[in-house]
């Protein structure tokens, strides 16, 4: 069942969903997933991620729009005919059945012959490294082992598409990391397509081939982890993925080379790449990541330099976090590796912060994000 490559395996086109006939919890959802991809829906709680999965699985109706697999609409297909595997955070295994019986169940309901069932169960127990545990009941397993069984049960009938809704939410950090590794290993080995849901951005960046950042029922950006981090499409993505300094600024002025110039509220004029500003915007937000800011002396050259006052220096082991105040504006954070370049300051001392235009973005003004404005 190794499947890779071609475009357009799964497609959502203008999918909308309302539960109460008044508000749209999914506003206009478009997504194109290639066969064998690992796509994550990442967004805050209540943004409509589970609703999208439920419509894909067939447990919720689509209010309007279409979902196709291999070019055929599944919008009216009964859930059990969609051949989709599912793993949820609290996907309860049947407690009265052994691990082997739990794994055999999806095969039996699909009418597989007994010997074949036994063989397949044996293979999948090996695959999840629980071959000695077939006769145990779920109650006799650890949380991580139970989740591996739930994963195997979702995969054992070899679905082409597997949906996972915050499957690791109940596990502690170390187990989560092990399971992330385990899921990506099985995905590579077996080649199924995954639609994964999480609100944890590190998990999304670690596991996915592409991520759809979701907010308020709308996809804000659909791109690879690197693109999301290096080229955020707007201020929401810039603030949701990783850490960013968001500095309120005056109207962006477009330059011939496509860059924009803008005056920060602290008075400094800076150059940035444009994210989603238009020429007639009255305000914008300039975003730059803490690790792209350099505490500098005036002799060093950066596209952008601002004077700031030192507030605090926090030792975090592998790196140092600095907090600086921009006059008349908000505070910014600088992250520096814990090496000889990490300087000391006294409170109130002034410093120059430098960064390049290629590392910073002008985004449309967003009142919910412009802190310190
Ligand atoms: P997420 O998974 O991103 O947290 P959900 O899809 O669960 O978001 O929810 C999106 C919105 O739809 C929320 O406002 C939620 O209250 C609402 N909602 C979810 N399921 C139902 C339902 N079965 N009936 C009514 N409203 C629902
Ligand atoms: Mg959810």
């Amino acid at each position: 069942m190794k499947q890779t490559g071609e475009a357009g395996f799964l497609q959502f086109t203008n999918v909308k969903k309302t539960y109460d006939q008044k508000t749209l919890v999914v506003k206009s959802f478009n997504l194109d997933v290639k066969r064998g991809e690992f796509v994550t829906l990442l967004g805050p709680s209540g943004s409509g991620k589970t609703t999208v999965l439920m419509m894909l699985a067939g447990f919720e109706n689509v209010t309007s729009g279409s979902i196709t697999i291999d070019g055929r609409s599944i919008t009216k297909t009964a859930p059990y005919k969609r051949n989709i595997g599912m793993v949820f955070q609290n996907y309860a295994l049947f407690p009265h059945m052994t691990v082997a019986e739990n794994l055999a169940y999806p095969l039996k309901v699909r009418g597989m012959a007994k010997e074949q069932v036994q063989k397949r169960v044996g293979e999948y127990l090996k695959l999840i490294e629980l071959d000695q545990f077939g006769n145990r009941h779920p109650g006799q397993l650890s949380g991580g082992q139970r989740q591996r069984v739930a994963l195997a049960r979702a995969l054992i009938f070899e679905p082409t598409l597997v949906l996972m809704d915050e499957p690791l939410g109940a596990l502690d950090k170390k187990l989560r990391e092990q399971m992330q590794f385990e899921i990506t290993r099985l995905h590579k080995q077996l080649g199924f397509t995954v639609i994964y849901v999480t609100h944890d951005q590190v998990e999304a960046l670690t596991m996915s081939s592409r991520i759809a950042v979701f907010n308020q029922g709308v996809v804000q950006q659909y791109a690879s982890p690197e693109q999301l981090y290096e080229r955020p499409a707007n201020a929401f993505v810039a603030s949701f993925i990783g850490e960013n300094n968001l500095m309120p600024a005056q109207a962006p002025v477009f330059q011939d080379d496509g860059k924009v110039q803008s005056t920060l509220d602290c008075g400094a004029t800076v150059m940035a790449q444009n994210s989603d500003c238009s020429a007639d915007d009255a305000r914008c937000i300039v975003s730059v990541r803490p690790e792209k800011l350099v505490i500098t002396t005036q002799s060093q050259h950066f596209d952008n330099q601002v004077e700031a006052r030192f507030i605090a220096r926090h030792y975090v082991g592998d790196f140092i976090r600095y907090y600086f105040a921009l006059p008349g504006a908000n505070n910014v954070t600088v992250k520096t590796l814990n090496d000889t370049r990490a300087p000391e300051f006294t409170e109130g001392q002034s410093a120059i912060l430098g960064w390049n235009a290629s590392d910073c973005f002008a985004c449309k003004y967003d009142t919910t994000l412009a802190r310190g404005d």
Side-chain angles (χ1 to χ4, degrees), residues 93 97-103 121-122 124-126 128-142 144-146 148-149:
L93 296 168
M97 290 186 191
T98 64
V99 167
E101 286 164 350
N102 266 282
L103 293 188
V121 167
Y124 273 74
L125 281 173
K126 261 210 193 75
I128 55 165
E129 289 161 5
L130 287 178
D131 23 349
Q132 304 305 315
F133 292 73
N135 292 324
R136 293 220 190 160
H137 283 81
Q140 297 167 299
L141 300 178
S142 72
Q145 290 170 333
R146 272 203 292 272
R148 264 147 70 200
V149 177

Side-chain angles (χ1 to χ4, degrees), residues 335-347:
K335 250 169 94 170
T336 301
L337 279 177
N338 181 13
D339 61 17
T340 49
R341 289 179 299 127
E344 306 261 5
F345 292 94
T346 53
E347 206 182 320

Side-chain angles (χ1 to χ4, degrees), residues 103-116:
L103 293 188
Y105 183 81
L107 302 176
K108 282 189 181 153
V109 298
R110 283 170 175 79
M112 190 185 265
K114 209 174 164 193
E115 310 80 73
Q116 260 182 300

Side-chain angles (χ1 to χ4, degrees), residues 19-20 25-26 43-52 60 165-166 197 214:
Y19 287 105
D20 59 5
V25 298
V26 175
S45 177
S47 56
K49 307 179 298 293
T50 295
T51 301
V52 167
E60 283 292 346
D165 195 350
E166 313 240 4
V197 161
F214 223 70

Side-chain angles (χ1 to χ4, degrees), residues 346-371:
T346 53
E347 206 182 320
Q349 193 180 337
S350 86
I352 306 286
L353 307 181
W355 72 95
N356 284 323
S358 56
D359 292 326
C360 109
F361 297 91
C363 305
K364 236 181 217 328
Y365 195 77
D366 178 335
T367 43
T368 60
L369 296 171
R371 287 183 299 262

